[in-house]
Amino acid sequence: GIQVEQSPPDLILQEGANSTLRCNFSDSVNNLQWFHQNPWGQLINLFYIPSGTKQNGRLSATTVATERYSLLYISSSQTTDSGVYFCAVGSQGGSEKLVFGKGTKLTVNP
Amino acid sequence: GAVVSQHPSRVICKSGTSVKIECRSLDFQATTMFWYRQFPKKSLMLMATSNEGSKATYEQGVEKDKFLINHASLTLSTLTVTSAHPEDSSFYICSASVTGANVLTFGAGSRLTVL
């Protein structure tokens, strides 16, 4: 099956810093979502981005489908950005059936 | 936007008992729902695909007799952990999408502790 690798596994930032999270996947996808899991376990959908670039406030994401990677940018990080960020992909024939990466644990210190 | 509700959020049970977790799509109909399991500090692992009106499809290695899934309506899927044991303790999360849309919405999860 499709493999999803996220890097880095852990990231510690000072408030106000910028960061880039990466997601590599092993096969063609027609679904890619970035999620933020808060300390209570709730998964919040950040972006649906199987290709192209999107921005939402301080967050933006870019997926280069032909090169099989996606990037999540966080600018001017805040302590509330802390948590685990997951990339999840779905491939053709089962695009809603998401395979998750292992996540990037982000800690933003004041 | 689409909202998925899970209940209970936390449950503690004795070994050998069965526990039912509900997943509801509140403002949309979902012919398909998905059940995931997450161990502490680990990623989400897909357990099964719940199909309204038909049998669930289980991922390799998931015991269908242990984890019973029923999708009796377009807004409700249930996961029953039968004869629970401490190793079944985990965080269970369901998800659903509006039919035809690819964007998955997740419930808040149910934390099961088996004593």
Side-chain angles (χ1 to χ4, degrees):
Chain A
I2 194 166
Q3 305 295 315
V4 182
E5 293 185 0
Q6 289 186 245
S7 60
D10 294 278
L11 185 59
I12 301 174
L13 301 174
Q14 286 299 123
E15 201 167 23
N18 302 329
S19 62
T20 301
L21 283 58
R22 187 177 179 101
C23 171
N24 293 332
F25 41 94
S26 61
D27 205 346
S28 300
V29 299
N30 56 7
N31 188 353
L32 190 148
Q33 292 182 236
W34 282 97
F35 295 92
H36 175 220
Q37 188 170 39
N38 66 23
W40 298 273
Q42 174 74 63
L43 281 164
I44 307 298
N45 179 44
L46 299 176
F47 293 103
Y48 167 73
I49 188 167
S51 64
T53 297
K54 290 185 178 180
Q55 181 163 3
N56 184 2
R58 295 182 296 103
L59 302 181
S60 64
T62 295
T63 297
V64 183
T66 53
E67 296 187 21
R68 299 181 183 171
Y69 73 89
S70 182
L71 302 174
L72 177 69
Y73 305 96
I74 304 174
S75 64
S76 303
S77 58
Q78 301 175 359
T79 56
T80 51
D81 295 332
S82 296
V84 182
Y85 290 81
F86 287 103
C87 168
V89 303
S91 56
Q92 194 166 9
S95 61
E96 292 182 328
K97 189 173 164 180
L98 295 179
V99 175
F100 280 73
K102 292 185 177 181
T104 292
K105 182 179 179 182
L106 174 65
T107 302
V108 181
N109 292 320
Chain B
V3 178
V4 175
S5 173
Q6 260 187 264
H7 178 81
S9 58
R10 292 178 179 271
V11 56
I12 300 173
C13 70
K14 293 181 179 180
S15 186
T17 61
S18 295
V19 174
K20 181 184 286 187
I21 300 170
E22 294 185 346
C23 178
R24 294 182 183 274
S25 57
L26 296 186
D27 50 0
F28 65 100
Q29 295 182 331
T31 55
T32 303
M33 293 183 178
F34 301 90
W35 287 96
Y36 289 82
R37 181 174 182 175
Q38 185 178 30
F39 290 103
K41 299 183 179 181
K42 298 292 185 182
S43 186
L44 281 76
M45 181 188 74
L46 180 64
M47 299 174 65
T49 302
S50 174
N51 304 298
E52 188 269 335
S54 64
K55 292 182 179 180
T57 305
Y58 291 82
E59 295 299 304
Q60 190 173 5
V62 178
E63 300 176 60
K64 61 181 180 181
D65 295 330
K66 163 67 104 175
F67 299 101
L68 298 179
I69 292 174
N70 183 28
H71 195 151
S73 77
L74 286 171
T75 59
L76 174 64
S77 174
T78 60
L79 168 68
T80 301
V81 183
T82 62
S83 186
H85 292 282
E87 57 266 29
D88 299 324
S89 297
S90 192
F91 193 55
Y92 294 89
I93 313 174
C94 71
S95 70
S97 69
V98 175
T99 302
N102 273 344
V103 180
L104 269 286
T105 299
F106 283 76
S110 299
R111 192 167 303 280
L112 170 64
T113 302
V114 184
L115 302 176

Coordinates of all heavy atoms in Angstrom, one line a residue, chain A residues 26-62:
Chain A
S26 N 4.4 7.7 -1.5 CA 5.1 6.8 -2.4 C 4.4 6.5 -3.7 O 4.9 5.9 -4.6 CB 5.3 5.4 -1.6 OG 4.0 4.9 -1.3
D27 N 3.1 7.0 -3.8 CA 2.4 6.7 -5.0 C 1.5 7.9 -5.4 O 1.4 8.9 -4.6 CB 1.6 5.5 -4.8 CG 1.2 4.7 -6.1 OD1 1.4 5.4 -7.2 OD2 0.8 3.6 -6.1
S28 N 0.9 7.9 -6.5 CA -0.1 8.9 -6.9 C -1.2 9.0 -5.9 O -1.7 8.0 -5.5 CB -0.6 8.7 -8.3 OG 0.5 8.6 -9.2
V29 N -1.7 10.2 -5.7 CA -2.8 10.4 -4.8 C -3.8 11.3 -5.4 O -3.5 12.1 -6.2 CB -2.4 11.0 -3.4 CG1 -1.4 10.1 -2.7 CG2 -1.8 12.4 -3.6
N30 N -5.1 11.1 -5.0 CA -6.1 12.1 -5.4 C -6.8 12.7 -4.2 O -7.8 13.3 -4.3 CB -7.1 11.5 -6.4 CG -7.8 10.2 -5.8 OD1 -7.6 9.9 -4.7 ND2 -8.5 9.5 -6.6
N31 N -6.2 12.5 -3.1 CA -6.7 13.1 -1.8 C -5.5 13.3 -0.9 O -4.7 12.4 -0.7 CB -7.7 12.2 -1.1 CG -8.4 12.9 0.0 OD1 -8.0 14.0 0.4 ND2 -9.4 12.3 0.6
L32 N -5.3 14.5 -0.4 CA -4.3 14.8 0.6 C -4.9 15.8 1.5 O -5.4 16.8 1.1 CB -3.0 15.3 -0.1 CG -1.8 15.4 0.9 CD1 -0.5 15.1 0.1 CD2 -1.7 16.7 1.6
Q33 N -4.8 15.5 2.8 CA -5.3 16.4 3.8 C -4.2 16.6 4.9 O -3.5 15.6 5.2 CB -6.6 15.9 4.4 CG -7.8 15.9 3.5 CD -9.1 15.5 4.1 OE1 -9.7 14.5 3.7 NE2 -9.4 16.1 5.2
W34 N -4.1 17.8 5.4 CA -3.3 18.1 6.6 C -4.3 18.3 7.8 O -5.3 19.0 7.6 CB -2.5 19.4 6.4 CG -1.3 19.2 5.5 CD1 -1.2 19.5 4.2 CD2 0.0 18.8 5.9 NE1 0.1 19.2 3.7 CE2 0.9 18.8 4.8 CE3 0.5 18.4 7.2 CZ2 2.2 18.4 4.9 CZ3 1.9 18.0 7.2 CH2 2.7 18.0 6.1
F35 N -3.9 17.7 8.9 CA -4.7 17.8 10.1 C -3.8 18.3 11.2 O -2.6 18.0 11.3 CB -5.2 16.5 10.5 CG -6.2 15.9 9.6 CD1 -5.8 15.0 8.6 CD2 -7.6 16.2 9.7 CE1 -6.7 14.4 7.7 CE2 -8.5 15.6 8.8 CZ -8.1 14.7 7.8
H36 N -4.4 19.0 12.2 CA -3.8 19.3 13.4 C -4.6 18.6 14.5 O -5.8 18.7 14.6 CB -3.9 20.8 13.7 CG -3.4 21.3 15.0 ND1 -4.0 22.2 15.8 CD2 -2.3 20.8 15.7 CE1 -3.3 22.4 16.9 NE2 -2.2 21.6 16.9
Q37 N -3.8 17.8 15.3 CA -4.5 17.1 16.4 C -4.2 17.8 17.7 O -3.0 18.0 18.1 CB -4.0 15.6 16.5 CG -4.8 14.8 17.6 CD -4.5 13.4 17.5 OE1 -3.4 12.9 17.4 NE2 -5.6 12.6 17.7
N38 N -5.2 18.3 18.4 CA -5.0 19.1 19.6 C -4.7 18.2 20.8 O -4.8 17.0 20.7 CB -6.1 20.1 19.8 CG -7.4 19.4 20.1 OD1 -7.5 18.2 20.6 ND2 -8.6 20.1 19.9
P39 N -4.4 18.7 21.9 CA -4.0 17.9 23.1 C -5.1 17.0 23.5 O -4.9 16.0 24.2 CB -3.6 18.9 24.1 CG -3.2 20.1 23.4 CD -4.1 20.2 22.2
W40 N -6.4 17.3 23.2 CA -7.5 16.4 23.6 C -7.8 15.4 22.5 O -8.7 14.6 22.7 CB -8.7 17.3 23.8 CG -8.5 18.3 24.9 CD1 -8.7 18.1 26.2 CD2 -8.0 19.6 24.7 NE1 -8.3 19.3 26.9 CE2 -7.9 20.2 26.0 CE3 -7.5 20.4 23.6 CZ2 -7.4 21.5 26.2 CZ3 -7.1 21.7 23.8 CH2 -7.0 22.2 25.1
G41 N -7.1 15.4 21.5 CA -7.2 14.3 20.5 C -8.0 14.7 19.2 O -8.1 13.9 18.3
Q42 N -8.7 15.8 19.3 CA -9.5 16.2 18.1 C -8.6 16.5 16.9 O -7.7 17.3 17.0 CB -10.3 17.4 18.5 CG -11.1 18.0 17.3 CD -12.3 17.2 16.9 OE1 -13.3 17.0 17.7 NE2 -12.4 16.6 15.7
L43 N -9.0 15.9 15.8 CA -8.3 16.2 14.5 C -9.1 17.3 13.8 O -10.3 17.2 13.5 CB -8.3 15.0 13.6 CG -7.3 13.9 14.0 CD1 -7.7 12.6 13.3 CD2 -5.9 14.3 13.5
I44 N -8.3 18.4 13.5 CA -8.9 19.5 12.8 C -8.3 19.5 11.4 O -7.1 19.5 11.2 CB -8.5 20.8 13.5 CG1 -8.9 20.8 15.0 CG2 -9.2 22.0 12.8 CD1 -10.4 20.6 15.3
N45 N -9.2 19.5 10.5 CA -8.8 19.6 9.1 C -8.3 21.0 8.7 O -8.9 22.0 8.9 CB -10.0 19.2 8.2 CG -9.6 19.3 6.7 OD1 -8.6 18.8 6.3 ND2 -10.4 19.9 5.9
L46 N -7.0 21.0 8.3 CA -6.4 22.3 7.9 C -6.5 22.6 6.5 O -6.9 23.7 6.1 CB -4.9 22.3 8.3 CG -4.6 22.1 9.8 CD1 -3.1 22.0 10.0 CD2 -5.2 23.2 10.6
F47 N -6.2 21.6 5.7 CA -6.2 21.8 4.2 C -6.6 20.5 3.5 O -6.2 19.4 4.0 CB -4.9 22.2 3.6 CG -4.4 23.6 4.1 CD1 -3.5 23.7 5.0 CD2 -5.0 24.7 3.5 CE1 -3.0 25.0 5.4 CE2 -4.6 26.0 3.8 CZ -3.6 26.1 4.8
Y48 N -7.4 20.6 2.5 CA -7.6 19.5 1.5 C -6.8 20.0 0.3 O -7.2 21.0 -0.3 CB -9.1 19.3 1.2 CG -9.3 18.5 0.0 CD1 -9.1 17.1 0.0 CD2 -9.8 19.1 -1.2 CE1 -9.3 16.3 -1.1 CE2 -10.0 18.3 -2.3 CZ -9.8 16.9 -2.3 OH -10.0 16.2 -3.4
I49 N -5.7 19.3 0.0 CA -4.8 19.8 -1.0 C -4.1 18.7 -1.8 O -2.9 18.5 -1.6 CB -3.8 20.9 -0.4 CG1 -3.0 21.6 -1.4 CG2 -3.0 20.2 0.7 CD1 -2.3 22.8 -1.0
P50 N -4.9 18.1 -2.7 CA -4.2 17.0 -3.5 C -3.2 17.6 -4.5 O -2.4 16.8 -5.0 CB -5.4 16.3 -4.2 CG -6.5 17.3 -4.2 CD -6.3 18.1 -2.9
S51 N -3.3 18.9 -4.8 CA -2.4 19.5 -5.6 C -2.5 21.0 -5.4 O -3.5 21.5 -4.9 CB -2.6 19.2 -7.1 OG -3.9 19.7 -7.5
G52 N -1.5 21.8 -5.9 CA -1.5 23.2 -5.8 C -1.2 23.8 -4.5 O -0.5 23.2 -3.6
T53 N -1.6 25.1 -4.3 CA -1.2 25.8 -3.1 C -2.5 26.5 -2.5 O -3.3 27.0 -3.3 CB -0.2 26.9 -3.5 OG1 1.0 26.3 -3.9 CG2 0.1 27.8 -2.2
K54 N -2.6 26.5 -1.2 CA -3.6 27.1 -0.5 C -3.1 27.9 0.7 O -2.1 27.5 1.2 CB -4.7 26.1 -0.1 CG -5.5 25.5 -1.2 CD -6.6 24.6 -0.6 CE -7.5 24.0 -1.7 NZ -8.5 23.1 -1.2
Q55 N -3.8 28.9 1.1 CA -3.4 29.7 2.3 C -4.6 29.9 3.1 O -5.7 30.2 2.6 CB -2.7 31.0 1.9 CG -2.3 31.8 3.1 CD -1.3 32.9 2.7 OE1 -0.9 33.1 1.5 NE2 -0.8 33.6 3.7
N56 N -4.4 29.9 4.4 CA -5.5 30.2 5.4 C -4.8 30.9 6.6 O -4.3 30.2 7.5 CB -6.2 28.9 5.8 CG -7.4 29.3 6.7 OD1 -7.6 30.4 7.0 ND2 -8.1 28.3 7.2
G57 N -4.8 32.2 6.5 CA -4.2 33.0 7.6 C -2.7 32.7 7.7 O -2.0 32.9 6.7
R58 N -2.2 32.3 8.8 CA -0.8 32.1 9.0 C -0.3 30.7 8.4 O 0.9 30.4 8.4 CB -0.4 32.1 10.5 CG -0.6 33.5 11.1 CD -0.2 33.5 12.6 NE -1.0 32.6 13.4 CZ -0.6 31.4 13.8 NH1 0.6 30.9 13.5 NH2 -1.4 30.6 14.5
L59 N -1.3 29.9 8.0 CA -0.9 28.6 7.4 C -1.1 28.6 5.9 O -2.0 29.3 5.4 CB -1.8 27.5 8.0 CG -1.9 27.4 9.5 CD1 -2.8 26.3 9.9 CD2 -0.5 27.1 10.1
S60 N -0.2 27.9 5.3 CA -0.3 27.6 3.9 C 0.2 26.2 3.6 O 1.0 25.7 4.4 CB 0.4 28.7 3.1 OG 1.8 28.6 3.3
A61 N -0.2 25.7 2.5 CA 0.2 24.4 2.1 C 0.4 24.3 0.6 O -0.3 25.0 -0.2 CB -0.8 23.3 2.5
T62 N 1.4 23.5 0.2 CA 1.7 23.3 -1.2 C 1.9 21.8 -1.4 O 2.6 21.1 -0.7 CB 3.0 24.0 -1.7 OG1 2.8 25.4 -1.5 CG2 3.3 23.7 -3.1

